[in-house]
Structure formats: structure tokens, C-alpha cells
Amino acid sequence: MPVELTDEQIRRVLQGISVPPQPQIMVDLQMEQVMPEPDLRNIARLISQDPGLSGALLKTVNSSFFGLANRIASIRQAVNLLGCNSVINLINAQSIKGELSDDAIVTLNRFWDTAQDVAMASLTLAKRIGYPAPDEAYTLGLFHNCGIPLMVKRFPGYMSVLEEAYASASAETRVTDIENRALNTNHAVVGYFTAKSWNLPLHLCEVIANHHNALSLFSDDSGRDASLKTLLAILKMAEHICASHRVIGDQAEDHEWQAIAQLVLEYVGLSEYDFVSLKESIREMGVG
């Protein structure tokens, strides 16, 4: 049976994990975003003050997904292309890096590489299946594993535990069950608190908390949490398309997807053939 943690256990474990506060530039950008007409020039000015943020922004717009004829070197051009919401998402992702040592960042290269891919795949899937807020799917894809860097920082050898978790995933065992057994917490719980600290929408925080609990959620036939289930379905499809089991879990087979695939596809109304076609078209875009 899945191991559920009490609130007190979660609080006790999290005492040793530094959840990064919302960065000041993020606060400034959110203030800009709520203006009737956000000033993209001001947004570009704020980002250009930070080399890491500038680099992350340019790397994104110059990726194969955008298919630009010429590489962009202008922060202002990049901001105009991405828009306020995507820029804010990137800044949150970059703020996690600032909390880590150089050694931890090297360890987590595969995490950074896959986060953007899963975000892009989630955005594309949301549009294809008609989800009304595709930007939410992008945000979820980008931050669903935001607890992993903090687990790496807190627990030496964490990636070995995570690899074992992916190897053990099945209809009876969740990825997070192995983490709970070894560490008394897991990256989904830590990710939930991190996302809450950034003031991400609560329903996205809930999906992050449950993103390895798909079998239980999709086995529930009630109409509750329809939006949560749809976002979770999009995320699990995106993770499979981007081979998170291989990139993060170092596994040749996606054991978790094998356990949930039928339920997920049935929920969103896709046949296996439809999904294979979708997967191929998304990968042709350079995602995954």
C-alpha cells in the first residue's frame, strides 16, 4: 500500500530543506504583469541585469522548437517572442539553480535538460486535446519536478534513490513510495511546497504533489477534480514522450507509464494509435 505522510512528518523533514523564496526580479515582474499594459521594455531591462536569466532566456528562444531563421541575441526581442507568462516561468526555474552548489548543478544537468522539453510537450498536447489554458500546462511541465534539485541539495546520493524509484515503479509501487521509504519524504511533496512558495496557482501545486499518484486518481471514476486529472494526463503523456524515465530515472523502460497508459489515454479520449502519432509529431518538433 502507498505510504502516506502526516502533516507533522512533512514539516519535520522540510526543516532540513531550504525552499527558495520568490526572487525579487520575479516579484518585480509580477507587478509588471498585473499592469493594464505590461511594459516589455521594463521586463527586458530587469532580466538583462542577471547574466543567468539572460542566458536562459536566449537559450529558450534559440532552441529548435521556435525554428527561427536567425539566432536572437537581444533580450528585448526574446521577451517579445515569449511574452510575460513564459518569461516568469523561466525565472522561477533559474532561481532553483541559484540555490545549488556547482557539483549539484552538474549532477542535475539531466533535470534541467528535460524540464523545458516536458514543458514544450505539455503545451503542445494541451493545444491538441483542446485544454482551455495551455499556458498552465506549460507551467506545470516546467515545474513539476522542481523538488528534485532541493532533494539533491538536502540528501547525498539522492539521485541513486530516484533511479531505484523509477526502476521499481509499477501498479503496486509509486515512484514516491521508494523515496518515502528511504528518506521519509519525496520530490513531489517538496515540489508542492516550493510551488506554493512561488505563489503558483493552487491547482497546479496540487498536480505537482500528485504527479506520481496517477494510478489512484485515474482509477477514481467520480467527476471530481476534472481539471486536475486533465492536467495530470497531459503531464504524464509529456513525460513519456520526453523519456523522463530515461533522462531522470536512468531506466530503459517507462514502468510508470506502462501501469497508467490505458487509464490516461481513455480519460483524454485518445487511442493508442492517436497517441503514437502525437508522440511522433511532437518529437519531430525537436521536443523530447
Side-chain angles (χ1 to χ4, degrees):
M1 291 291 292
V3 179
E4 299 296 343
L5 298 175
T6 66
D7 287 347
E8 180 55 37
Q9 285 174 313
I10 290 170
R11 278 193 220 100
R12 197 160 58 241
V13 172
L14 287 179
Q15 286 175 358
I17 298 177
S18 173
V19 177
Q22 203 168 19
Q24 185 58 48
I25 288 181
M26 181 65 187
V27 174
D28 292 342
L29 282 172
Q30 284 194 325
M31 290 177 65
E32 195 66 57
Q33 188 185 28
V34 298
M35 299 293 284
E37 294 184 17
D39 187 342
L40 293 181
R41 290 174 300 179
N42 194 36
I43 290 173
R45 179 185 60 79
L46 288 167
I47 291 173
S48 64
Q49 295 172 11
D50 186 295
L53 292 177
S54 299
L57 189 67
L58 293 174
K59 181 179 179 182
T60 300
V61 297
N62 288 319
S63 69
S64 57
F65 181 84
F66 281 90
L68 301 177
N70 299 299
R71 294 176 69 86
I72 285 178
S74 162
I75 297 299
R76 186 181 297 182
Q77 274 186 282
V79 167
N80 285 332
L81 269 175
L82 284 176
C84 294
N85 289 336
S86 295
V87 167
I88 288 171
N89 289 336
L90 280 171
I91 287 168
N92 266 336
Q94 195 71 12
S95 74
I96 307 177
K97 288 188 179 182
E99 293 286 314
L100 300 170
S101 67
D102 290 343
D103 286 346
I105 289 175
V106 170
T107 301
L108 282 165
N109 273 340
R110 63 205 209 210
F111 164 76
W112 306 122
D113 289 344
T114 196
Q116 188 68 28
D117 281 349
V118 173
M120 292 295 192
S122 296
L123 176 67
T124 305
L125 285 164
K127 289 178 177 177
R128 295 286 179 89
I129 69 171
Y131 186 70
D135 282 351
E136 288 186 354
Y138 178 93
T139 302
L140 176 64
L142 195 63
F143 295 121
H144 71 288
N145 275 334
C146 65
I148 289 179
L150 301 176
M151 294 290 282
V152 167
K153 182 182 178 186
R154 172 68 175 82
F155 299 107
Y158 170 70
M159 292 307 288
S160 296
V161 174
L162 191 58
E163 289 169 9
E164 179 191 348
Y166 271 89
S168 304
S170 67
E172 293 76 33
T173 304
R174 302 175 303 179
V175 167
T176 47
D177 290 336
I178 304 301
E179 293 181 75
N180 288 342
R181 195 176 305 156
L183 305 170
N184 284 329
T185 191
N186 63 72
H187 72 277
V189 166
V190 174
Y192 168 82
F193 282 98
T194 303
K196 277 193 73 176
S197 79
W198 287 334
N199 295 326
L200 290 186
L202 188 57
H203 65 287
L204 294 185
C205 298
E206 294 288 348
V207 182
I208 290 171
N210 284 285
H211 76 272
H212 289 295
N213 199 30
L215 189 62
S216 173
L217 287 174
F218 287 109
S219 297
D220 179 358
D221 292 331
S222 71
R224 292 176 304 147
D225 303 322
S227 176
L228 185 150
K229 286 183 180 179
T230 303
L231 279 168
L232 183 58
I234 290 167
L235 176 63
K236 300 317 288 186
M237 290 189 289
E239 282 188 307
H240 178 66
I241 290 170
C242 297
S244 293
H245 61 283
R246 186 169 63 245
V247 181
I248 292 178
D250 197 29
Q251 301 303 310
E253 298 293 327
D254 192 346
H255 303 300
E256 183 180 43
W257 177 250
Q258 290 167 1
I260 65 174
Q262 183 176 350
L263 288 171
V264 169
L265 295 180
E266 283 179 0
Y267 187 81
V268 295
L270 289 174
S271 68
E272 178 65 30
Y273 177 81
D274 291 335
F275 180 64
V276 169
S277 299
L278 255 180
K279 178 164 61 174
E280 289 173 355
S281 67
I282 290 172
R283 286 180 171 170
E284 283 171 5
M285 294 179 190
V287 177

